[in-house]
Amino acid sequence: MTLSPTARWALRITMGLGLVFIYVPLLLVLVNSFNGDRTFAWPPHDLTTRWWAAAWQNDGARQALLTSVKAGLGATAIALVLGTMVAFACQRFTFFGRDTVSLLIVLPIALPGIVTGIALDSAWRSVMGDLGIGKGMFSVIVGHATFCVVTVYNNVLARLRRTGTNLEDASADLGASPWQTFRYITFPMIRTALLAGGLLAFALSFDEIIVTTFTAGPGVTTLPIWIFNNLFRPNQAPIVNVVAAVLIILSVIPVWLAQRLAGPEAGASRT
Amino acid sequence: MSTLGSYLHRRPRLRLAALLSAPLLWLVVAYLGALAVLLVSAFWTVNGFTGETVREFSLANFRTILAEEVYRAVTLRSIGVAAAVTGICVVLAVPMAFFMAKVASARSRHWLVIAILTPLWASYLVKAYAWRILLANGGPVDTLLGGPGSGPGYGLFATILVLSYLWLPYMILPVYAGLERLPDSLLEASADLGARAGRTFRTIVLPILIPSVFAGSIFTFSLSLGDYITVQIVGGKTQLLGNVVYANIGAANNLPFAAAIATIPVLVMVIYLVAVRRSGALEQL
């Protein structure tokens, strides 16, 4: 399609405005974390780094950060194992119900988060509670792992599609045991895809609030829950600003690493 | 280890079963099991005096939902918000994705994909919070439009705006992926054969675009339908399905009624998924 210069410029301007729309709010949070006023005033009168120091000293935020990291690591570990297994099953085998299995993996993120959340909540109250397993860190990890499987699955599946089975067949022909083939051929082949999928799973868990709200037991406060609890407290505003700014800066890491490890398609696997 | 390995190697069915057992057990027990409990508990009730859950089949919750005007209004409002958000995302995403896939150079394309992806991983809560600051009374938007109270403030409009902001990348990425698969030579062939830009768009680009847009819309629609956090942050007094579910779990402590309300978005999404399946959208997820 030959686009007229006007059409090209119109598209270019739309792209530019779209990027402005996406980035201005994030930049605002970064600027605002240096805002000297305790009560929010725009534009800021003076800039200061004292809220950054105060946030670093804040016990609640630090504890919440630690809880988030623990939950993220637990969920990522489970997602890595389960996601890799399903990816191998779906890519290397044809079997009845394969489409249903891949739909089942997408479902936890295709249904609204509140549905997943309340489903796990009611399961915990009606079934697990009766079994004597109360809500706590374990229920949070179960909830997170359920929707994190998809990122590992997508990354490993894409890698398996690209690499094929030639090397593994050659390895078997040359007399390697299945275990040797896995260790020296298959695992190195998917290693970076695992790393990318794991990183994205961790980021997904780290950011999740809706499912966490419904599955967290008393005393389990992840960072998003801590932010939400403090969002409406005016005297906590400066510290919330700093935590928000830190999260924006940190969010660059998984995308960049996943890009470098697994190529352009990696990050898109969140969808 | 190696004997077990060789044993499995000769039996692909057994290997498949071994690979599938743990993930399926997890998804079926932890996820579908939980959804089943949700569905069952929607038919329970709560004793008004003791606050105890009565585990007996009853249609009382659904009768209440159907009878009371307020739940119909909330359902329609939620679907309206989800549709509006999806519409705004399509309008913004299609030209952006088209530029990325067909106009930008290969080099800048790579950077644009990263630029669209990065904010996807910035915290959801932080992004909603950014808009709370932007739209605050006397905040940047008000200042830009001419003093306190000039902007939209918090409310239904703010909810739609912020949800569109949050889910926009979920629309751009599948549309971009779809357009990228469309070979440029096809567009050139169409032009060589004398088709104008409009005709090429209708007959070549649109058939690729529609399934991708539907694929993106599954996320924008579903995520908007269940949201209650953004509504609490910038929605003012606006009530959506998510808030009703949340309120019934928290303050009212009526899990069965919350479960019954939660079946509405599930039902809407199932209808939506069935409707868009024919377009081939599900293969693009």
Side-chain angles (χ1 to χ4, degrees):
Chain A
M1 176 158 50
T2 42
L3 288 168
S4 66
T6 329
R8 279 171 179 274
W9 272 106
L11 284 170
R12 195 164 288 147
I13 288 165
T14 317
M15 187 77 218
L17 288 178
L19 286 175
V20 168
F21 177 59
I22 289 173
Y23 278 97
V24 161
L26 298 178
L27 287 175
L28 178 92
V29 172
L30 290 180
V31 171
N32 201 35
S33 70
F34 295 101
N35 192 338
D37 295 307
R38 187 170 264 277
T39 55
F40 177 73
W42 191 260
H45 297 294
D46 61 315
L47 298 175
T48 170
T49 53
R50 70 189 160 118
W51 305 129
W52 283 71
W56 181 243
Q57 303 292 328
N58 189 294
D59 274 340
R62 277 161 84 158
Q63 281 301 320
L65 176 69
L66 194 65
T67 308
S68 276
V69 170
K70 280 184 198 161
L73 289 178
T76 305
I78 296 171
L80 276 174
V81 174
L82 299 182
T84 311
M85 289 170 86
V86 191
F88 268 93
C90 286
Q91 168 62 22
R92 296 285 166 84
F93 298 87
T94 42
F95 56 93
F96 176 76
R98 192 169 66 172
D99 293 346
T100 317
V101 170
S102 48
L103 184 69
L104 193 59
I105 293 163
V106 181
L107 207 58
I109 56 164
L111 283 183
I114 197 158
V115 173
T116 310
I118 187 186
L120 286 166
D121 185 33
S122 52
W124 229 274
R125 287 200 210 187
S126 314
V127 182
M128 298 299 275
D130 294 353
L131 295 175
I133 306 170
K135 280 202 264 178
M137 185 56 118
F138 177 65
S139 50
V140 171
I141 291 177
V142 168
H144 285 195
T146 304
F147 60 75
C148 283
V149 172
V150 69
T151 64
V152 178
Y153 167 80
N154 279 345
N155 275 282
V156 174
L157 194 75
R159 179 62 53 88
L160 289 178
R161 269 192 196 137
R162 224 170 33 208
T163 51
T165 58
N166 286 348
L167 285 176
E168 286 162 346
D169 294 343
S171 163
D173 285 347
L174 292 170
S177 74
W179 173 243
Q180 283 175 317
T181 302
F182 181 81
R183 204 177 140 202
Y184 295 112
I185 308 292
T186 316
F187 182 71
M189 228 157 57
I190 61 165
R191 191 168 42 202
T192 49
L194 284 176
L195 215 50
L199 262 168
L200 298 176
F202 183 83
L204 198 58
S205 156
F206 197 78
D207 184 29
E208 164 59 39
I209 177 161
I210 296 186
V211 173
T212 319
T213 306
F214 287 98
T215 50
V220 179
T221 308
T222 61
L223 201 55
I225 294 194
W226 182 88
I227 296 176
F228 192 64
N229 289 342
N230 287 287
L231 211 52
F232 304 102
R233 293 182 189 155
N235 58 348
Q236 286 281 52
I239 290 174
V240 172
N241 281 333
V242 175
V243 174
V246 171
L247 285 181
I248 288 174
I249 297 165
L250 287 182
S251 69
V252 177
I253 296 171
V255 181
W256 279 75
L257 283 179
Q259 283 275 332
R260 301 207 61 158
L261 293 171
E265 86 271 27
S269 63
R270 177 162 186 172
T271 56
Chain B
M1 195 70 223
S2 74
T3 37
L4 177 70
S6 331
Y7 181 77
L8 282 175
H9 187 69
R10 289 191 301 272
R11 285 167 187 77
R13 287 278 129 192
L14 210 62
R15 221 154 14 128
L16 175 65
L19 279 176
L20 276 177
S21 54
L24 276 188
L25 197 70
W26 183 283
L27 286 167
V28 171
V29 172
Y31 189 62
L32 291 187
L35 282 180
V37 175
L38 173 76
L39 199 65
V40 170
S41 55
F43 293 98
W44 293 343
T45 48
V46 163
N47 186 309
F49 294 106
T50 62
E52 293 277 309
T53 306
V54 183
R55 296 187 179 187
E56 279 167 26
F57 181 84
S58 149
L59 287 171
N61 293 328
F62 291 98
R63 233 174 274 139
T64 312
I65 291 172
L66 287 176
E68 289 194 27
E69 175 65 33
V70 59
Y71 298 117
R72 213 172 313 148
V74 169
T75 303
L76 288 178
R77 191 181 305 127
S78 300
I79 295 174
V81 166
V85 169
T86 304
I88 293 173
C89 285
V90 174
V91 168
L92 290 173
V94 168
M96 287 174 80
F98 192 87
F99 177 82
M100 287 163 70
K102 294 293 162 222
V103 182
S105 66
R107 200 183 140 74
S108 52
R109 186 178 304 169
H110 181 70
W111 288 103
L112 286 172
V113 173
I114 295 181
I116 299 297
L117 274 175
T118 307
L120 202 57
W121 295 98
S123 167
Y124 158 96
L125 208 53
V126 169
K127 285 184 273 186
Y129 175 59
W131 279 97
R132 189 175 167 84
I133 301 174
L134 274 169
L135 296 170
N137 191 24
V141 172
D142 272 3
T143 310
L144 205 67
L145 296 174
S150 318
Y154 301 146
L156 190 62
F157 177 81
T159 306
I160 294 173
L161 178 68
V162 175
L163 289 174
S164 307
Y165 175 80
L166 287 168
W167 314 140
L168 179 62
Y170 289 81
M171 183 62 84
I172 297 179
L173 289 171
V175 174
Y176 167 75
L179 288 175
E180 217 201 5
R181 277 197 298 273
L182 176 73
D184 288 340
S185 55
L186 222 57
L187 300 178
E188 282 157 22
S190 172
D192 288 346
L193 292 170
R196 286 168 197 273
R199 173 111 194 242
T200 306
F201 187 81
R202 266 201 317 282
T203 51
I204 313 274
V205 180
L206 214 53
I208 288 276
L209 212 51
I210 286 173
S212 304
V213 165
F214 277 134
S217 77
I218 293 173
F219 289 99
T220 58
F221 197 83
S222 162
L223 289 167
S224 310
L225 206 56
D227 186 272
Y228 69 94
I229 306 263
T230 295
V231 190
Q232 282 184 26
I233 295 176
V234 297
K237 290 191 174 68
T238 311
Q239 283 277 312
L240 297 183
L241 283 170
N243 307 94
V244 178
V245 172
Y246 187 68
N248 273 289
I249 288 212
N253 198 21
N254 190 341
L255 185 68
F257 191 71
I261 296 272
T263 57
I264 300 175
V266 176
L267 202 67
V268 172
M269 274 319 290
V270 169
I271 294 171
Y272 195 78
L273 287 174
V274 170
V276 300
R277 197 181 56 169
R278 291 192 51 191
S279 73
L282 297 187
E283 283 80 62
Q284 313 241 347
L285 287 179

